[in-house]
Amino acid sequence: KGNAICSGKLFIEPIGAPTGHTYLPTTEIMRRMRSVSPRSPSRSPARRLEDTDETQLERLYKPVFVLKPTSFKCSEGQTARFDLKVVGRPMPETLWFHNGRQIVNDYTHKIVVKEDGIQSLIIVPALPLDSGEWTVVAQNRAGKSSVSMTLSVEAKEHLLRPQFVEKLKNVSVKEGAPV
């Protein structure tokens, strides 16, 4: 979508013997041609485009989530994934936050955008410290929208083998005495 404008002049030459002169329409004919134009008779399309500022050419639309991420539960070590799709004009920028702190692409947090416009935050592996409130903010020049959800990561039970905390010592005691 957009707007392309082109302008030109039409010169009409009379039929018959060439006179060597180019025919130029009279002022009255030009006035009638402009009056039948669906556009403004007083200004050419190119002039109107030059006088129009960017805000009049482009309508701005606040970000809207057409696919909202939802709360998620998983076990420690699994993959957690939030999917969303946001639209707006101009295309919104998205920012991710965990418990109020901004998240960026790093070793465990991957922000991916697919060709169909679906964006994903993928957390591999999910750890109990990833539990909490997750917020995605979409913003552009027209405004800002946000969605919050919860991630619950259930900790694995960490089993440890028994260990001696103190080595055994030989002790001599008399029979019947407390040890």
Side-chain angles (χ1 to χ4, degrees):
K1 301 195 181 208
N3 192 3
I5 296 175
C6 183
S7 62
K9 292 186 180 188
L10 172 65
F11 294 100
I12 303 171
E13 296 185 18
I15 299 176
T19 59
H21 294 98
T22 304
Y23 174 76
L24 293 173
T26 64
T27 314
E28 175 60 24
I29 293 172
M30 287 301 292
R31 187 185 60 72
R32 282 190 304 165
M33 285 180 9
R34 282 192 186 118
S35 68
V36 296
S37 170
R39 301 176 191 258
S40 169
S42 62
R43 302 176 66 196
S44 74
R47 174 83 56 210
R48 282 198 317 272
L49 184 61
E50 289 169 5
D51 294 346
T52 305
D53 66 6
E54 187 178 327
T55 58
Q56 291 172 321
L57 287 177
E58 181 180 313
R59 290 194 186 268
L60 302 178
Y61 297 102
K62 180 180 174 181
V64 174
F65 288 92
V66 292
L67 172 63
K68 293 182 179 183
T70 56
S71 294
F72 190 79
K73 287 184 181 182
C74 68
S75 297
E76 180 178 355
Q78 290 184 325
T79 298
R81 178 180 179 142
F82 294 113
D83 293 325
L84 69 92
K85 186 169 185 177
V86 64
V87 295
R89 185 180 279 167
M91 190 61 184
E93 169 190 26
T94 54
L95 304 170
W96 289 90
F97 296 88
H98 176 232
N99 294 330
R101 278 189 50 218
Q102 186 172 354
I103 299 297
V104 293
N105 268 326
D106 62 19
Y107 183 71
T108 57
H109 303 94
K110 304 291 179 209
I111 300 169
V112 179
V113 181
K114 295 192 298 188
E115 288 181 14
D116 59 1
I118 294 179
Q119 299 181 36
S120 301
L121 171 66
I122 303 168
I123 305 166
V124 181
L127 301 173
L129 60 96
D130 291 316
S131 295
E133 183 182 53
W134 287 83
T135 303
V136 60
V137 176
Q139 62 186 16
N140 64 12
R141 290 187 314 214
K144 183 189 290 189
S145 294
S146 66
V147 174
S148 293
M149 53 271 161
T150 304
L151 175 62
S152 298
V153 180
E154 199 172 295
K156 283 184 182 176
E157 185 178 344
H158 294 284
L159 299 176
L160 300 174
R161 66 180 190 182
Q163 295 180 0
F164 289 100
V165 290
E166 193 176 311
K167 287 190 176 187
L168 295 176
K169 298 178 190 173
N170 292 332
V171 179
S172 296
V173 291
K174 291 185 179 179
E175 190 175 327
V179 178

